[in-house]
């Protein structure tokens, strides 16, 4: 049996639904504003080739994360931006020879996974840097005055290793 609602009940329900919708829309709008300064990585075979050809481009300041002998990632940040970090180490005068050592180390360090070259994009999709790592995920935040934060890769986010290679130095 269909129950008809009294006019007063209908308006209370409509009012509650309207308040709920306004709250949801306001929350979505606030979340979009909060995320407004976040960028991302965009995988790029061109960037991959730049690193695998050991090219040091003068347009960028270079940084690495991890150990100087086994870096987890190498980034180049456009000179129009300032990297805000305590976790990345700047390389004042990166040479092709040093870049070759690092790239070869990364390629040999994890043969079960591949490396990723990527553009680091700002919130509007503008290129702000380049990325090279066996990891393909990070957080990028662009702040006022062209200050940028790039989170170093984490072992928690590293690509999975096939079971057959575990225990042979590929943990």
């Amino acid at each position: 049996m269909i129950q008809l609602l009294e006019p007063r009940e209908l308006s209370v329900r409509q009012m509650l639904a309207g308040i709920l919708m306004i709250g949801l829309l306001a929350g979505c709008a606030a979340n979009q504003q909060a995320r407004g300064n976040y960028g991302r990585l965009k995988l790029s075979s061109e960037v991959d080739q730049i690193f695998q050809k050991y090219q040091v481009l003068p347009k960028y300041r270079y940084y690495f994360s991890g150990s100087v002998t086994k870096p987890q990632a190498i980034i180049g940040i456009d000179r129009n931006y300032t990297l805000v970090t305590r976790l990345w180490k700047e390389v004042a005068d990166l040479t092709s020879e040093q870049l070759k050592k690092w790239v070869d180390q990364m390629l040999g360090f994890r043969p079960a996974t591949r490396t990723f070259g990527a553009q680091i994009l700002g919130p509007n999709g503008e290129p702000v840097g380049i990325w090279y790592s066996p990891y393909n995920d990070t957080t990028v935040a662009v702040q006022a005055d062209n200050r940028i934060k790039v989170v170093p890769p984490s072992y928690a986010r590293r690509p999975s290793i096939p079971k057959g290679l575990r225990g042979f130095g590929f943990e």
Side-chain angles (χ1 to χ4, degrees):
M1 176 180 259
I2 298 176
Q3 183 180 12
L4 297 175
L5 299 175
E6 295 294 319
R8 183 169 177 250
E9 284 183 54
L10 187 60
S11 64
V12 170
R13 287 185 184 184
Q14 286 176 335
M15 185 173 68
L16 289 175
I19 291 171
L20 179 62
M21 287 298 287
I22 289 170
L24 287 172
L25 290 173
C28 290
N31 192 27
Q32 181 62 32
Q33 286 178 339
R35 292 184 317 181
N37 66 338
Y38 284 93
R40 63 185 177 89
L41 293 182
K42 178 183 177 188
L43 295 181
S44 166
S45 60
E46 181 181 330
V47 173
D48 202 46
Q49 287 301 305
I50 288 169
F51 280 98
Q52 291 186 8
K53 290 180 179 179
Y54 319 117
Q55 295 177 326
V56 178
L57 304 178
K59 176 181 180 177
Y60 300 107
R61 284 188 195 98
Y62 285 88
Y63 302 82
F64 70 94
S65 74
S67 145
V68 71
T69 57
K70 291 184 179 180
Q72 295 177 347
I74 306 164
I75 60 173
I77 299 297
D78 187 303
R79 291 187 180 274
N80 294 319
Y81 291 84
T82 302
L83 183 66
V84 179
T85 187
R86 288 182 289 160
L87 302 172
W88 292 94
K89 298 161 197 98
E90 185 172 4
V91 185
D93 294 315
L94 182 62
T95 64
S96 291
E97 292 77 27
Q98 179 63 53
L99 188 57
K100 180 182 183 334
K101 287 178 188 176
W102 284 344
V103 169
D104 290 350
Q105 176 63 33
M106 282 185 196
L107 290 171
F109 184 56
R110 291 193 178 94
T113 60
R114 62 170 290 218
T115 53
F116 299 94
Q119 288 184 321
I120 302 172
L121 302 178
N124 297 321
E126 72 281 7
V128 298
I130 54 178
W131 168 279
Y132 189 75
S133 176
Y135 303 86
N136 65 352
D137 186 32
T138 191
T139 301
V140 177
V142 178
Q143 302 170 333
D145 300 328
N146 284 354
R147 295 164 35 99
I148 185 170
K149 288 185 177 183
V150 178
V151 176
S154 162
Y155 283 104
R157 295 185 296 208
R158 93 175 158 186
S160 63
I161 297 166
K163 289 180 183 178
L165 293 176
R166 293 188 184 139
F168 292 97
F170 296 103
E171 281 80 29

